[in-house]
């Protein structure tokens, strides 16, 4: 890839959409009151002081800073990874930028509000999936993309294996006997 950091525009799109939708949800939804969209889907404004699935939400507030530092570290690390991608690693680039955008969108909420604004709520009868937002969706899609890319890569023959298969058999024998002679 000639300029892999050019993909950061996708992170910016995720951040702008995420923060815009969170602002709309905060302005137009009553906290904790579901607005039914479909029989299995509500818009419900909630504030999450924890991580995914409200992990550590019940603690005194230190987790806000822990998750902020994790988001900053992950964004820096993923941006470095993105900068080192080679041509043709498009799925990886898209996946990384989705995760970066989602992490920064939620980081903004943590730093400015002290919690993450969630508003998407799926349910089946009395069972409710934890509420989430566009940033969480971007992070999840990015993670799925990275897993898929990993699976594709594991099925692809390695360059060194392909090179050794192309090597003539007489050369293979010579190189192994040469190693044994030294």
């Amino acid at each position: 890839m000639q300029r892999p950091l050019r993909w950061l525009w996708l992170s910016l799109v995720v951040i702008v959409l995420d923060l815009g939708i969170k602002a709309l949800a905060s302005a137009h939804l009553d906290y904790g009151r579901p607005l039914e969209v479909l029989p299995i889907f509500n818009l419900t404004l909630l504030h999450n002081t924890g991580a995914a699935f409200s992990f550590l939400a019940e603690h005194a507030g230190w987790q806000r800073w822990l998750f902020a530092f994790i988001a900053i570290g992950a964004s820096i690390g993923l941006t470095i990874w993105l900068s080192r991608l080679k041509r043709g690693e498009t799925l990886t680039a898209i996946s990384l930028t989705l995760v970066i955008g989602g992490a920064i969108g939620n980081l903004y909420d943590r730093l400015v509000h002290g919690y993450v604004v969630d508003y998407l709520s799926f349910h089946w009868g009395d069972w409710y999936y934890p509420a989430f937002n566009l940033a969480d969706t971007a992070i999840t899609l990015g993670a799925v993309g990275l897993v898929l890319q990993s699976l594709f890569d594991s099925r692809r023959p390695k360059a060194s294996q392909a090179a050794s298969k192309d090597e003539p058999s007489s050369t293979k024998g010579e190189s192994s006997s040469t190693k044994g002679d030294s």
Side-chain angles (χ1 to χ4, degrees), residues 30-102:
D30 294 327
Y31 185 83
R33 179 181 288 169
L35 173 65
E36 185 176 327
V37 177
L38 296 171
I40 61 165
F41 173 66
N42 299 331
L43 293 175
T44 307
L45 179 64
L46 296 171
H47 299 156
N48 182 0
T49 57
F53 306 108
S54 296
F55 177 66
L56 297 178
E58 302 300 319
H59 289 269
W62 59 266
Q63 72 278 17
R64 170 187 185 185
W65 302 109
L66 172 68
F67 296 134
F69 286 121
I70 290 171
I72 291 167
S75 296
I76 291 169
L78 295 176
T79 302
I80 291 169
W81 183 2
L82 179 66
S83 73
R84 295 178 177 172
L85 292 180
K86 298 189 178 23
R87 181 177 297 276
E89 294 182 288
T90 306
L91 179 56
T92 303
I94 291 169
S95 300
L96 292 173
T97 55
L98 286 173
V99 174
I100 292 166

Side-chain angles (χ1 to χ4, degrees), residues 113-177:
H113 306 299
Y115 54 80
V116 173
V117 175
D118 289 328
Y119 50 85
L120 301 171
S121 175
F122 286 89
H123 61 90
W124 187 261
D126 290 336
W127 176 85
Y128 283 79
Y129 188 79
F132 58 99
N133 57 44
L134 180 67
D136 299 332
T137 304
I139 291 168
T140 301
L141 289 174
V144 167
L146 291 172
V147 168
L148 289 174
Q149 186 62 56
S150 174
L151 291 173
F152 295 150
D153 289 347
S154 70
R155 294 180 145 209
R156 195 176 305 152
K158 302 272 188 269
S160 61
Q161 291 173 343
S164 68
K165 287 180 184 174
D166 294 339
E167 206 173 288
S169 59
S170 62
T171 309
K172 285 183 191 175
E174 291 171 10
S175 63
S176 62
S177 65

